[in-house]
Amino acid sequence: MRFQRFPTAPARLVLAWRAAALFAAALITGVLLALSGRDVFELLALVLKSTVGSRFGLEDLALFMIPLILTGSAVTVTSRIGLWNIGGEGQFYLGAIGAAGVGLYMPGPPILVLPAMAAAAMLCGVAWIAVPTFARAYAGVNEIITTLLLNFVAGLLTYWLATGPWRDRVTGALASTGRIPVAIPEIWGVVHWGFPVALLIACGLAVIMTRTSWGYEVRISGANPGAARYAGMPMRARVIAVMLLSGALAALAGMFEVAGTVHRLQGGMADNFGYLGIVVAVLARKSCLAVIPAALLMALILDAGIVLQTQQLAATVVLAITGLVLLLIAIGDELAHYRPVAPVVRPASPRLPPASKTTI
Amino acid sequence: MTPPPVAPGTPPVLQLVGISKYFPGVIANEDVSLDVRSGEILALLGENGAGKSTLMNVVTGIYQADAGEMILDGYGARFSSPQEAIRARIGMVHQHFKLVPAFTVAENIHLGWADTPRNASPAILEARTRELSERFGFPVNPAARVEDLSAGEQQRVEILRVLARKARLLILDEPTAVLTPAEARDLFRALRAFRAEGNAVIIISHKLDEVMEISDRVTILRGGQKIGTWDTADCSPRMLAATMVGREIVRQNLLLRADGAAPRGTEAELSLRGVSVRDERGVETLADITLDIFGGEILGVAGVAGNGQRELTEVLTGLTIPTRGQVLLGGRSAEPGAAAFARHGVGHIPQDRLHSALAPSLGISDNMALREYGMPPIGGNGLYHADAALSLAREIADIAEVTIPDFAMPVRNLSGGNQQRLVARREIRIASRVLVAAYPSRGLDIGAIATMHRYFAELRDRGVGIVIVSEDLEELLNLSDRIGVLCHGRLMAVLDSAEADIERIGLLMGGRTDLPETGAETKI
């Protein structure tokens, strides 16, 4: 039996290997926890109960999924055109800032204020990614560097607003604005309307990518810029549109977090959702629809991590487990490229067909 | 010059016994045995995918054989890397030169060579290169940068580099593909001199005339297996072609119009008026070209690669907007942009079709829709109908005679030949006015070339103008009604192919217009 690496990995194999990777990660974690004297089965039961096994757990999962779906989509759309938006974190903050600014200072009924918050958030996100976008489209500046560096600026800007001009003057909460008077209505426990909207957005993006000529041009441009040029596609316009869209998506995640979950602008509130969006996108393998299950997996990992922390496991242990899961999944994805090939036998007869026929 | 006599009992320089090499799903070589004797030139002939390159890659240590033996001078040998093959004095000159363009000739010769003196100054390297160049009879300029050299000069550097490492067996992969006829003659002269010293040469080629001219013996591979070895003196081009393809190739006279074929047009479908193109460095790559392409004719464009062919095809297909001059489509100033040209009936089979005409990771349907995604039934109102793209892809695959198990599978899973056929058919579909084909037969085997040429003749008979850019003069003379010759971005002449002959075109390719006595129209 010989194994050979193929350039493509069928989805079926990827899923199978990922399941194996998750199992292996759970096994390794379990063994290590057992060696350090923990009761693994008790922990496992607790994790299951407080994630998928209870209503509160499920609500938490959904809340985690909202920003992850959006930041994951933000990275996925750029990956379709062959670019990487590493700045989801920064655009998330800018979305949060835009939403909080409107929410705090624009009086009015929620039916008007909420859309205004969303619009302001997306505008801010678009503005934040505008410089990397135009630098990429007109000067070929690597968008990975520019979007990444702007994250730090955005994070500090949020801290400055939350401790300076917009700080909470009522309760004096640390690095936080006051409570925003409007909130996205809840539909199920603490889960708000952001959840179905995020799901709809992911599905809508999938439709746009596969069922519109705009999406077709984006896919061709991403798969081979040379072919896009050859066919006379307006590649620069597509790059600009996709990057701005990406910024708006990540910013919308910030808005949902501010208006649906946290109800304030807080320093550090992005909580790595922007970066985890990259992980979600990698797990989704460029598919806009697969962002949803990928976000669910990520949410499960995050949620399980919090449960473990309540059991006196250090936060670093949780990070290590996350890393282990992702590492094994990456290995699984690579292994999915390998398939067994027929063992070499010397064919005595019949004689082989001509090579030109065997290559399909 | 005849090969030197060899003492009886001398073992062959290289002997392959039952070499097999397998790739996933493909048998590249199966039980191939051949020998190369000292003082001979062996031609290795075969279609694409016949396993010639794989076999030579086994000999030079790039691949390791899955079965079989390699015997050098009577002793078994096994190379686990190209370096070991070089130490065993086997040198290969690849079709795509493996030189560093930004380095000088002397630096390229000395790169990665154990004999290179440490801390050598450019002057020392150049002196050594000059000495090597004289010793082996390959004139090069040691101080020149490789990127400034012509393809023929680069090839000399490549060969010299191999010879400097004391190669006794020289393997050349399609060496004349990038050469002018005169350069090819120089190369053959040098190869004969090399042979006269008791060395051996293996030359891989598609070109039968060349094989007849240069080789002492011919080995033909087909489907990864050896069909046989013959003394070249006993062979004819016809017999070689038939043996190589496995059937008789019927050579049609493609210049002959079918009954009821559209006549040659009287008004130009596509015209260039004083077109010049400068690249981003400001170098003029196309200079003042005036050219008309009529419906129902085939216009050949000859020239050594890199003399403005790429720019010419890009201007003709709307990919490049000329710096000066005008492009007219059907007599009117053309709407700029490749998409507009395609919409107005200009098809384009580009030079590097596998890299620029297809998106390798996307499905076959998506790739076949590339020209028609903007119009119904696939496009319209900003939508993309995947089912319509699928039926278009089925239609194209059908007519191109390519069997496809799954239209959603990435197009790169198809063989190169099949990818080319799909691209050709996709472009022919939209070419209602003009088809521009750059090096259409490059990378295809004889059978596939014949098919491609038949496509062109049919399209011509339907009244479409066809531009074929090629460096294969034989191909151009067989197909074209007129032949234009490019040299240094200038159109040296446009000849009626009735009055054109290889020698004359060869001179024009080299930039010489003064020699031929016939008073042909030569415009500059």
Side-chain angles (χ1 to χ4, degrees):
Chain A
M1 189 74 127
R2 302 196 317 161
F3 284 87
Q4 188 80 42
R5 191 184 193 283
F6 284 74
T8 50
R12 201 166 21 85
L13 271 181
V14 170
L15 277 181
W17 276 110
R18 283 186 174 185
L22 283 177
F23 181 73
L27 201 69
I28 294 173
T29 310
V31 167
L32 287 178
L33 288 177
L35 286 178
S36 58
R38 302 268 177 176
D39 185 339
V40 177
F41 292 99
E42 195 186 320
L43 279 178
L44 181 67
L46 188 65
V47 164
L48 285 179
K49 185 164 162 284
S50 39
T51 53
V52 291
S54 68
R55 159 128 190 197
F56 290 118
L58 288 174
E59 286 176 16
D60 263 2
L61 276 184
L63 274 191
F64 271 126
M65 277 177 74
I66 299 169
L68 288 172
I69 288 175
L70 289 170
T71 53
S73 297
V75 180
T76 300
V77 291
T78 50
S79 75
R80 293 257 45 171
I81 203 164
L83 300 175
W84 283 99
N85 174 15
I86 306 297
E89 191 90 350
Q91 294 133 26
F92 181 106
Y93 274 124
L94 261 289
I97 289 172
V102 171
L104 285 171
Y105 298 107
M106 180 180 139
I111 190 84
L112 290 180
V113 176
L114 282 173
M117 286 171 77
M122 290 198 279
L123 270 180
C124 288
V126 165
W128 203 246
I129 203 177
V131 172
T133 301
F134 290 107
R136 170 82 227 183
Y138 289 95
V141 179
N142 188 325
E143 79 286 349
I144 296 178
I145 310 288
T146 49
T147 52
L148 171 69
L149 292 180
L150 280 174
N151 287 345
F152 306 112
V153 183
L156 292 172
L157 184 64
T158 308
Y159 265 109
W160 176 70
L161 285 170
T163 55
W166 291 2
R167 72 177 177 276
D168 184 357
R169 292 180 165 84
V170 182
T171 64
L174 217 57
S176 170
T177 65
R179 192 180 166 91
I180 294 167
V182 294
I184 302 175
E186 284 154 359
I187 46 170
W188 188 63
V190 293
V191 181
H192 54 82
W193 273 96
F195 184 66
V197 172
L199 290 180
L200 269 182
I201 287 176
C203 297
L205 288 171
V207 169
I208 288 175
M209 282 299 165
T210 54
R211 293 283 182 264
T212 68
S213 54
W214 186 88
Y216 178 74
E217 288 175 345
V218 167
R219 285 187 291 132
I220 293 278
S221 305
N224 183 2
R229 173 177 180 271
Y230 159 83
M233 292 176 181
M235 231 198 323
R236 180 176 286 162
R238 296 293 169 267
V239 164
I240 292 172
V242 165
M243 284 188 73
L244 296 183
L245 170 68
S246 171
L249 286 169
L252 199 58
M255 183 268 175
F256 283 169
E257 201 67 3
V258 161
T261 312
V262 183
H263 305 293
R264 299 158 186 271
L265 178 69
Q266 288 178 342
M269 70 179 292
D271 217 4
N272 287 335
F273 280 130
Y275 294 114
L276 291 174
I278 302 167
V279 179
V280 169
V282 169
L283 291 174
R285 297 170 68 91
K286 291 192 179 181
S287 156
C288 291
L289 271 187
V291 162
I292 297 171
L296 173 63
L297 175 62
M298 199 65 233
L300 266 173
I301 295 173
L302 287 180
D303 217 5
I306 290 173
V307 175
L308 290 178
Q309 281 184 55
T310 62
Q311 297 303 305
Q312 273 75 49
L313 256 78
T316 45
V317 174
V318 176
L319 263 181
I321 295 172
T322 313
L324 180 67
V325 169
L326 295 175
L327 175 71
L328 290 175
I329 282 184
I331 294 173
D333 280 3
E334 175 59 24
L335 287 175
H337 283 275
Y338 287 82
R339 266 169 276 167
V341 289
V344 179
V345 282
R346 311 294 321 272
S349 67
R351 294 314 263 174
L352 65 154
S356 56
K357 275 193 194 150
T358 54
T359 54
I360 308 180
Chain B
M1 225 179 307
T2 48
V6 179
T10 309
V13 175
L14 171 74
Q15 202 175 355
L16 302 181
V17 184
I19 294 284
S20 299
K21 176 73 193 169
Y22 307 97
F23 292 112
V26 181
I27 298 169
N29 289 130
E30 168 85 341
D31 194 19
V32 176
S33 304
L34 60 80
D35 54 5
V36 194
R37 301 165 195 157
S38 115
E40 82 163 348
I41 297 180
L42 176 75
L44 198 54
L45 196 62
E47 293 191 289
N48 290 111
K52 304 174 303 242
S53 296
T54 307
L55 188 65
M56 289 304 107
N57 283 335
V58 167
V59 171
T60 52
I62 293 171
Y63 296 149
Q64 282 73 45
D66 291 325
E69 258 189 294
M70 207 152 68
I71 299 164
L72 268 178
D73 290 321
Y75 295 96
R78 197 171 177 83
F79 303 135
S80 53
S81 74
Q83 283 71 37
E84 291 180 20
I86 290 168
R87 271 197 291 279
R89 301 178 65 188
I90 296 177
M92 177 147 178
V93 175
H94 293 268
Q95 203 174 351
H96 303 285
F97 303 142
K98 304 201 182 310
L99 298 170
V100 185
F103 280 18
T104 65
V105 169
E107 283 163 345
N108 267 291
I109 298 265
H110 286 90
L111 196 60
W113 185 18
D115 288 11
T116 304
R118 287 191 186 284
N119 307 322
S121 68
I124 295 176
L125 294 186
E126 281 164 27
R128 284 172 54 94
T129 305
R130 205 165 294 118
E131 193 260 324
L132 286 168
S133 152
E134 278 157 21
R135 174 154 32 117
F136 292 109
F138 282 87
V140 294
N141 173 7
R145 279 189 200 289
V146 162
E147 60 195 353
D148 299 330
L149 301 182
S150 75
E153 290 168 319
Q154 291 192 24
Q155 191 182 56
R156 285 208 287 275
V157 176
E158 186 89 36
I159 295 176
L160 192 56
R161 184 167 70 168
V162 169
L163 295 185
R165 286 151 178 75
K166 304 194 179 62
R168 234 157 28 91
L169 172 61
L170 183 60
I171 303 171
L172 300 154
D173 192 358
E174 306 237 9
T176 58
V178 293
L179 302 184
T180 61
E183 283 176 323
R185 272 197 300 277
D186 285 345
L187 171 68
F188 286 172
R189 200 172 306 128
L191 290 183
R192 289 196 186 96
F194 182 68
R195 171 182 67 183
E197 285 163 26
N199 298 310
V201 177
I202 298 179
I203 183 165
I204 299 178
S205 183
H206 280 311
K207 298 185 188 167
L208 303 176
D209 295 337
E210 219 168 82
V211 169
M212 294 297 298
E213 182 188 340
I214 186 75
S215 68
D216 301 306
R217 289 190 306 150
V218 193
T219 292
I220 296 184
L221 295 185
R222 189 167 77 220
Q225 292 176 321
K226 187 176 100 161
I227 301 301
T229 300
W230 293 268
D231 281 338
T232 310
D234 302 336
C235 297
S236 71
R238 199 186 163 77
M239 164 260 169
L240 287 178
T243 317
M244 175 161 82
V245 183
R247 59 178 190 275
E248 193 82 4
I249 297 263
V250 187
R251 244 234 182 127
Q252 300 165 305
N253 184 354
L254 292 165
L255 287 172
L256 218 59
R257 258 71 169 173
D259 290 334
R264 236 160 121 168
T266 47
E267 273 171 35
E269 296 284 352
L270 180 59
S271 313
L272 303 182
R273 293 276 171 271
V275 163
S276 299
V277 173
R278 283 178 189 284
D279 63 14
E280 62 267 29
R281 289 179 301 168
V283 178
E284 197 163 61
T285 45
L286 268 193
D288 194 24
I289 300 232
T290 295
L291 182 67
D292 285 316
I293 295 140
F294 297 95
E297 73 157 353
I298 296 181
L299 172 77
V301 176
V304 179
N307 273 279
Q309 286 93 334
R310 176 180 283 277
E311 291 76 10
L312 181 65
T313 48
E314 294 210 338
V315 165
L316 288 174
T317 52
L319 276 168
T320 298
I321 295 169
T323 327
R324 254 183 313 114
Q326 246 196 324
V327 185
L328 304 175
L329 247 177
R332 273 194 303 258
S333 190
E335 190 185 331
F341 272 61
R343 242 190 343 267
H344 288 108
V346 178
H348 180 199
I349 301 175
Q351 182 172 349
D352 47 358
R353 42 204 155 259
L354 305 187
H355 299 295
S356 66
L358 294 170
S361 59
L362 295 187
I364 290 157
S365 301
D366 281 344
N367 272 289
M368 290 303 102
L370 194 60
R371 289 304 197 176
E372 298 178 43
Y373 74 93
M375 50 181 127
I378 299 174
N381 299 327
L383 294 181
Y384 175 78
H385 297 285
D387 42 348
L390 174 63
S391 52
L392 172 72
R394 279 189 202 288
E395 203 179 317
I396 293 178
D398 228 30
I399 200 163
E401 292 163 4
V402 175
T403 6
I404 288 167
D406 172 14
F407 283 83
M409 107 187 155
V411 73
R412 67 164 159 234
N413 288 10
L414 294 178
S415 72
N418 281 344
Q419 292 182 32
Q420 292 212 46
R421 287 158 91 130
L422 291 179
V423 169
R425 271 301 168 185
R426 184 186 73 196
E427 296 307 310
I428 286 172
R429 246 180 88 82
I430 62 151
S432 58
R433 215 183 264 283
V434 171
L435 176 70
V436 179
Y439 308 100
S441 55
R442 191 181 271 176
L444 293 182
D445 54 57
I446 290 197
I449 290 173
T451 312
M452 185 76 78
H453 287 175
R454 190 164 44 76
Y455 289 173
F456 291 152
E458 285 165 8
L459 195 62
R460 174 201 63 202
D461 290 350
R462 293 214 301 265
V464 174
I466 299 168
V467 180
I468 296 178
V469 177
S470 176
E471 52 212 355
D472 185 344
L473 296 183
E474 200 78 42
E475 174 179 37
L476 289 178
L477 287 169
N478 281 341
L479 275 173
S480 322
D481 301 297
R482 293 187 297 151
I483 295 183
V485 185
L486 275 180
C487 181
H488 290 304
R490 289 184 176 277
L491 193 59
M492 304 302 291
V494 181
L495 312 169
D496 254 5
S497 36
E499 67 183 48
D501 59 80
I502 288 205
E503 212 47 35
R504 171 114 192 272
I505 296 174
L507 287 171
L508 288 167
M509 279 164 67
R512 294 160 70 179
T513 49
D514 47 336
L515 276 175
E517 55 280 19
T518 44
E521 34 147 353
T522 50
K523 54 183 163 188
I524 289 184

